[in-house]
Every structure is written in structure tokens, then in C-alpha cells.
Amino acid sequence: QVQLVESGGGLVQAGDSLRLSCAPSGRTFSIYVMGWFRQAPGKEREFVAAVSRSGGSTYYADSVKGRFTISRANAENTIYLQMNSLKVEDTAVYYCAATRGPISASNAGYEYWGQGTQVTVSS
């Protein structure tokens, strides 16, 4: 089992940038496909981005494509979500997720979840 700990959330203004980090426990980090999801108040948790085991393939929700970048540093046991040109509608709790299965944009595709980190974008 892997435990996920997110960090890097905070309060920023529209147009600003923020970088989230997720540090999974254990030494087998590279066997997991990793993803970021978010949940805004009153809404369902939605897919943001995912990265393959090697880091060579990435996938994004249309709403963040071109603004967010997911990456992983397997040697550091860390994944990142670089968020640029933030919008008020990006305000949400952001969750890191891991799966030993195939890369997926579905909540059901991930077995392990972090506690989440709050990102608030003000206008």
C-alpha cells in the first residue's frame, strides 16, 4: 500500500502560478501511474492530469490543457503539478492519486488517494 501526501496549496490571485507536490511513501513509486484530481465545493471530484510510470506520457483535462503541467521525478519519489495562469474556477481541493493499473481519467481507476490540498484563486 502507498500513502500519498500533497503539499503546495494556498491562496493566490487570478493569473498567478502555483506548484503542487505529492510524495508517495515506499520505494516502488515508479510502478504507479499517478494522477491529480480536484473537487470544488458542491461539485464532484474531477480529473485534472495524469502521468505514466516513466513520465513519458501525460494527459490533461481540457479545462487545464496548456496551463497545467504534470511531471514526476522517480528518483525523488515526487510528482508535481505546475499550475500557471490560474483562474477563479480552478479553486478546489486538489488530490494526488496512484494506481497500479492503466492510466485513467476516472476516479474509479485509482486505488490510493491523498488527503488533498486546498487551492484558492481570488479575482
Side-chain angles (χ1 to χ4, degrees):
Q1 188 167 351
V2 61
Q3 293 182 328
L4 307 174
V5 180
E6 303 97 337
S7 62
L11 171 63
V12 297
Q13 292 188 326
D16 285 352
S17 297
L18 205 58
R19 189 176 78 162
L20 305 183
S21 300
C22 175
S25 63
R27 298 182 179 182
T28 56
F29 171 61
S30 62
I31 72 172
Y32 295 98
V33 163
M34 302 297 297
W36 286 99
F37 289 73
R38 67 186 181 186
Q39 187 168 20
K43 295 187 177 181
E44 295 186 351
R45 189 161 55 189
E46 64 176 7
F47 171 75
V48 174
V51 60
S52 63
R53 291 171 176 82
S54 67
S57 296
T58 55
Y59 300 87
Y60 297 93
D62 288 342
S63 59
V64 306
K65 203 171 292 183
R67 299 188 298 122
F68 290 12
T69 302
I70 188 172
S71 61
R72 67 190 297 162
N74 285 344
E76 300 170 6
N77 262 29
T78 305
I79 68 164
Y80 302 98
L81 184 68
Q82 178 67 43
M83 305 185 293
N84 298 330
S85 302
L86 282 161
K87 303 176 181 180
V88 173
E89 50 264 43
D90 294 320
T91 295
V93 177
Y94 283 72
Y95 296 90
C96 176
T99 179
R100 296 186 69 168
I103 200 163
S104 173
S106 169
N107 284 279
Y110 293 81
E111 301 94 270
Y112 306 107
W113 294 85
Q115 296 288 337
T117 185
Q118 177 70 48
V119 172
T120 303
V121 184
S122 63
S123 58

